[in-house]
Amino acid sequence: MARVRNLKEILVRLKGLSQLMVDLGYAALIEDDFELAQEAIRVKAEIRELSYELRKEALLVARYTKDSRHDIPQIASLLQIGVAIKEMSDGVDDLLEVVIRNVGVHPIIRMAYTRKELRTMRFVVEEGSLLDGKKLEEVEIDLKTGFRVVAIRRKEEWILDPHGKTRIKGGDVLIVEGRDISIRKMQEHVKGPKEKAQEKNSK
Amino acid sequence: MARVRNLKEILVRLKGLSQLMVDLGYAALIEDDFELAQEAIRVKAEIRELSYELRKEALLVARYTKDSRHDIPQIASLLQIGVAIKEMSDGVDDLLEVVIRNVGVHPIIRMAYTRKELRTMRFVVEEGSLLDGKKLEEVEIDLKTGFRVVAIRRKEEWILDPHGKTRIKGGDVLIVEGRDISIRKMQEHVKGPKEKAQEKNSK
């Protein structure tokens, strides 16, 4: 039973991670942003690890299953999901190449994508900033403010689909999707007191 | 200039189509739904066609560009996007295999994904139904009702990111994402008067 629970959790997480990686890949390309590309590569590392776990667990289910041989094609379908996610993440890798080789994104790419109102960006929450220690719902990160936190990276751990009760901490990396204007406002909220003070002085 | 506009439109559409295909692929798997898999395959056909257009247009840009040879790596990056999207869509194809081979989705897949509140489903809008001829905003398809129309297929044309002013027509196929309860309510709205009458009579 523990094995089944384990497989279930691996599948849920792999689905979330692969969708996040596709979004990050496009965002890295559109923003021509090396940091966003790095985040996508981090997601990829976890996908690779979990795909391996998926294969192992699927084989164990195949070994210990008490049911008929009819189950074998079904268990093969579990392995198939691993293959699929690997291939999708390879595709995103090809997108990232464009950013990482640092040849400069072609102006047409820029033209094609920048008219879109929605942007995906990456913010580091500084300690002592407005967001540090607050729940997502407290800082009104909802549709009223025009943006949505898609994922949070806390050190090497990804929090997928964060909800209102999720508390933000200093040092968190937020992946945010939203309207261009809201995103620029957001840049204020993640700044720590030190950087804010420096800005005041420089005025 | 027409060429550049063309390339731009191809890129925007390829991005939208590839994200739609990933979503449809997972939805087909989660719902073990052959129809959803067919929709994903339709998206794939357009991706293939547009990828070819992208390559052609990129080569033409390379031929006619008046700038320095420095531009060549940038134009290569346009081709790279085509490769990336192809690879992502191959990945989704592997997911679809599970549904199309019709071996039955493994119970663990079902367990893994059905606890999630959000579902993606496909609805055919019948002629004379509540939705027929209405704008999206008129039928309050927004977050208040708990669902969102991700895409509309009208015959062989995909409308990506439909907005409030988009008018729904009888025969349209809606790809809808939303809460389980809202999705079930939705099933009422797409039914034509004939089917509704039959239901009444059978009561």
Side-chain angles (χ1 to χ4, degrees):
Chain A
M1 208 52 213
R3 184 162 303 125
V4 166
R5 208 189 56 216
N6 202 10
L7 242 174
K8 203 183 87 181
E9 276 161 19
I10 292 170
L11 281 170
V12 170
R13 197 153 176 86
L14 273 174
K15 175 177 183 286
L17 288 170
S18 65
Q19 286 174 318
L20 177 62
M21 197 185 164
V22 172
D23 291 345
L24 282 174
Y26 277 117
L29 180 73
I30 292 162
E31 307 287 343
D32 196 8
D33 185 325
F34 190 76
E35 298 285 340
L36 273 172
Q38 293 297 325
E39 297 299 342
I41 288 168
R42 280 198 177 89
V43 175
K44 192 199 165 171
E46 192 178 335
I47 287 177
R48 180 184 292 168
E49 213 167 293
L50 279 179
S51 296
Y52 178 69
E53 293 298 318
L54 178 76
R55 284 195 291 280
K56 258 182 16 189
E57 295 294 320
L59 292 174
L60 284 169
V61 167
R63 171 178 285 170
Y64 293 114
T65 191
K66 299 272 188 253
D67 297 321
S68 74
R69 274 199 295 169
H70 188 70
D71 280 357
I72 290 294
Q74 288 194 349
I75 295 167
S77 73
L78 289 169
L79 294 174
Q80 188 83 343
I81 293 174
V83 175
I85 290 171
K86 167 78 169 55
E87 209 135 353
M88 279 190 253
S89 95
D90 285 348
V92 179
D93 246 13
D94 284 321
L95 281 184
L96 297 176
E97 277 284 288
V98 175
V99 181
I100 286 165
R101 278 172 186 269
N102 203 20
V103 291
V105 159
H106 194 282
I108 291 173
I109 298 175
R110 215 141 252 247
M111 272 170 62
Y113 294 133
T114 46
R115 235 192 6 187
K116 294 285 272 185
E117 271 191 357
L118 280 183
R119 300 178 72 184
T120 300
M121 290 200 72
R122 172 191 182 276
F123 293 103
V124 182
V125 179
E126 290 179 27
E127 295 203 9
S129 69
L130 194 70
L131 294 193
D132 185 3
K134 293 257 172 70
K135 288 183 202 156
L136 280 187
E137 62 187 6
E138 283 173 338
V139 286
E140 290 198 313
I141 298 181
D142 56 28
L143 285 158
K144 274 174 240 156
T145 55
F147 55 85
R148 187 172 74 89
V149 176
V150 180
I152 301 171
R153 182 169 62 77
R154 184 162 296 157
K155 287 179 182 152
E156 290 311 309
E157 188 212 354
W158 283 98
I159 302 164
L160 304 172
D161 298 318
H163 47 79
K165 305 285 174 207
T166 307
R167 206 176 278 279
I168 304 169
K169 290 182 185 169
D172 281 357
V173 172
L174 308 183
I175 307 296
V176 177
E177 183 192 83
R179 290 174 185 282
D180 197 23
I181 302 163
S182 318
I183 290 269
R184 270 179 279 155
K185 272 188 204 155
M186 180 85 172
Q187 268 158 340
E188 285 302 308
H189 295 169
V190 297
K191 273 182 196 159
K194 209 172 149 192
E195 203 178 321
K196 272 191 186 157
Q198 279 175 345
E199 262 181 24
K200 246 183 193 160
N201 291 340
S202 72
K203 269 176 195 165
Chain B
M1 207 52 211
R3 185 162 300 125
V4 166
R5 207 189 57 216
N6 202 8
L7 242 174
K8 203 183 86 181
E9 275 161 20
I10 292 171
L11 282 169
V12 170
R13 196 152 177 86
L14 273 175
K15 176 178 181 284
L17 289 171
S18 66
Q19 285 174 318
L20 177 63
M21 197 186 164
V22 172
D23 290 345
L24 283 174
Y26 277 117
L29 180 72
I30 292 163
E31 307 287 343
D32 195 9
D33 186 325
F34 191 76
E35 298 285 339
L36 274 172
Q38 293 296 325
E39 296 299 341
I41 288 168
R42 280 198 178 89
V43 175
K44 192 198 164 168
E46 191 178 336
I47 287 177
R48 181 184 293 167
E49 213 168 292
L50 279 180
S51 295
Y52 178 69
E53 293 298 318
L54 178 75
R55 285 195 290 278
K56 258 182 16 189
E57 294 294 319
L59 292 173
L60 284 167
V61 167
R63 171 179 286 171
Y64 292 114
T65 191
K66 300 270 188 254
D67 296 320
S68 74
R69 273 199 296 168
H70 188 69
D71 279 357
I72 290 294
Q74 288 194 349
I75 296 167
S77 72
L78 289 170
L79 295 174
Q80 188 82 347
I81 294 175
V83 174
I85 290 171
K86 168 79 168 57
E87 207 133 356
M88 278 190 256
S89 94
D90 285 349
V92 180
D93 246 13
D94 284 321
L95 280 184
L96 297 177
E97 276 284 289
V98 175
V99 182
I100 287 165
R101 278 173 186 266
N102 201 20
V103 291
V105 159
H106 194 282
I108 290 174
I109 298 175
R110 215 141 253 247
M111 271 169 64
Y113 293 134
T114 45
R115 237 194 2 189
K116 294 285 272 186
E117 271 192 357
L118 280 184
R119 301 176 72 183
T120 299
M121 290 200 73
R122 171 190 181 277
F123 293 102
V124 182
V125 178
E126 292 180 24
E127 294 201 11
S129 70
L130 194 71
L131 294 192
D132 185 3
K134 293 258 171 70
K135 287 185 203 155
L136 279 188
E137 61 188 5
E138 283 173 338
V139 286
E140 289 198 314
I141 300 182
D142 56 27
L143 284 159
K144 274 177 241 153
T145 54
F147 55 84
R148 187 172 75 88
V149 177
V150 179
I152 300 172
R153 182 169 63 77
R154 184 163 296 159
K155 286 179 183 151
E156 289 311 309
E157 187 212 353
W158 282 99
I159 301 164
L160 304 173
D161 299 319
H163 47 78
K165 305 285 175 210
T166 307
R167 206 177 280 278
I168 304 169
K169 290 182 186 170
D172 281 358
V173 173
L174 308 183
I175 307 295
V176 177
E177 183 193 82
R179 289 175 186 281
D180 197 23
I181 303 163
S182 318
I183 291 269
R184 269 179 280 156
K185 272 188 206 152
M186 180 84 173
Q187 269 158 337
E188 285 303 307
H189 296 169
V190 295
K191 275 183 195 159
K194 208 174 151 193
E195 203 178 321
K196 271 191 187 156
Q198 280 175 345
E199 262 181 26
K200 244 183 195 161
N201 291 340
S202 71
K203 267 175 197 166

